[in-house]
Amino acid sequence: MNIISRAEWGARRPRSRSTVTWGRRTEFIVHYSEGPTTQSVRSIQDFHMGTRGWSDIGYNFLVDVHGRIYEGRGWLVVGAHAPGHNTSGIGVCMIGQDGDATPAATRSIRALYDEACRRAGRNLAKLGHRDVYATSCPGDQLYAWVRAGMPAEKEKEDDDMPDYVSVGMNARQDLPPGEWVTVNWGKEYADSAHHHWDKGGPSFIIGPARYALTANVQIEGLAPGTELQARVIEHAESGSDIATGPLAEYVASNGATFLHYNVAADMVPKGYRVRFQVVQYGSKTGRITDGSAKGLVWST
Ligand SMILES: [Zn+2]
């Protein structure tokens, strides 16, 4: 494993440092920088030492999308990356945002994990930052990989790495009574493998694939107590739709009503595209005023 040393990336000297023994290292905590993939390690260090006022860059190691590994504080220096877990946990940061993790990056994070376990003489707990702190870090995509056991990718690299798709609404849609309305996604925040098929359109996952998704929409103009339902459908290229579960039920509240919809795991067959629909059973037309959806997709 090749690690780019502090001297090689032009690190500033730490203001101070305290060390820990391998006996006290029990966790391996994955982060993301939530910045551009091109951000330099030195600029992250400058931010941590300047704006944040820390003694050094917060992480023990950093990894970029090309799989390059950079020495942060190193193996046995107490970090500043997860309050309450800086002595027990080795913090490794992927330079980038949610959806940016590449097979090269996850392979390098896994290599660091294996090396840490070898040095510690036992297995460390595999954690995402959000497991120990109220944060979105390390992003849904990288967190799904951590939860899957940080699979090492060998010959065929993309097998376990989900594609990530994140879309949102950019135009209100009418919601007449008793009529299933398919939500259109006019905004595209991330779509690593072109799952958001028709630009601005409703299909956002393409089969054949396994997927997990969440969708959130805001609905206005309904009388309090109005019943609503949401579901996903599989839309065939031939034009027919198949309703698939789970069907979720809601009741309109005063003012805006927020529908949170979740599919933990499902399959979509070849030739079908996943869409999201809402229906309401009131007496007057409401409006879908905002919404977003995110999917993790394992193409099969
Ligand atoms: Zn973090």
Side-chain angles (χ1 to χ4, degrees):
M1 185 172 47
N2 182 39
I3 296 178
I4 298 169
S5 70
R6 294 174 65 92
E8 285 174 292
W9 61 261
R12 290 159 64 179
R13 290 169 57 88
R15 293 197 187 97
S16 64
R17 63 204 289 270
S18 60
T19 56
V20 57
T21 59
W22 277 111
R24 298 190 65 189
R25 289 295 206 197
T26 55
E27 299 167 325
F28 185 92
I29 302 174
V30 177
H31 300 264
Y32 69 161
S33 64
E34 215 177 355
T37 57
T38 51
Q39 190 174 15
S40 71
V41 176
R42 175 58 191 259
S43 73
I44 295 171
Q45 185 192 33
D46 286 341
F47 174 66
H48 286 178
M49 294 182 75
T51 308
R52 291 274 166 84
W54 297 342
S55 60
D56 194 357
I57 193 166
Y59 308 110
N60 296 96
F61 293 94
L62 300 94
V63 168
D64 70 14
V65 292
H66 306 291
R68 292 183 289 233
I69 301 171
Y70 301 85
E71 180 184 25
R73 297 196 187 193
W75 296 112
L76 291 177
V77 175
V78 175
H81 58 90
H85 294 263
N86 288 315
T87 299
S88 55
I90 294 169
V92 174
C93 177
M94 190 271 299
I95 301 172
Q97 306 185 38
D98 194 15
D100 287 338
T102 57
T106 55
R107 211 162 37 233
S108 291
I109 297 170
R110 177 63 196 229
L112 281 165
Y113 174 78
D114 289 341
E115 179 63 16
C117 294
R118 194 186 67 76
R119 290 177 183 233
R122 65 193 184 293
N123 285 339
L124 306 182
K126 297 168 181 164
L127 299 173
H129 191 187
R130 67 174 69 171
D131 287 320
V132 298
Y133 195 77
T135 172
S136 60
C137 181
D140 291 346
Q141 181 209 20
L142 202 48
Y143 186 63
W145 176 76
V146 173
R147 288 297 299 267
M150 306 200 322
E153 293 149 25
K154 297 207 169 68
E155 304 292 295
K156 194 168 179 312
E157 295 180 357
D158 290 312
D159 273 358
D160 295 297
M161 196 66 205
D163 301 324
Y164 177 65
V165 55
S166 174
V167 292
M169 292 178 69
N170 70 345
R172 297 170 165 228
Q173 290 180 246
D174 280 347
L175 187 60
E179 195 177 302
W180 283 101
V181 170
T182 303
V183 176
N184 279 310
W185 307 115
K187 291 184 197 165
E188 196 173 275
Y189 302 110
D191 187 16
S192 59
H194 193 48
H195 283 284
H196 188 207
W197 189 253
D198 29 6
K199 196 167 177 56
S203 299
F204 67 109
I205 294 170
I206 311 296
R210 292 184 292 123
Y211 68 90
L213 70 81
T214 59
N216 293 286
V217 289
Q218 173 179 310
I219 298 182
E220 295 178 51
L222 299 183
T226 302
E227 293 181 10
L228 299 114
Q229 292 177 318
R231 68 183 183 189
V232 290
I233 61 161
E234 291 169 2
H235 175 79
E237 281 160 18
S238 64
S240 63
D241 291 335
I242 306 171
T244 60
L247 186 68
E249 307 198 336
Y250 311 86
V251 176
S253 46
N254 261 313
T257 300
F258 298 91
L259 274 50
H260 177 74
Y261 183 85
N262 181 54
V263 176
D266 208 342
M267 305 274 294
V268 55
K270 184 171 165 52
Y272 286 83
R273 304 167 186 172
V274 173
R275 298 178 169 185
F276 176 70
Q277 292 188 321
V278 181
V279 66
Q280 58 103 349
Y281 299 101
S283 56
K284 58 178 180 172
T285 294
R287 274 184 316 283
I288 310 171
T289 53
D290 201 5
S292 63
K294 292 179 179 185
L296 292 169
V297 187
W298 292 262
S299 294
T300 54

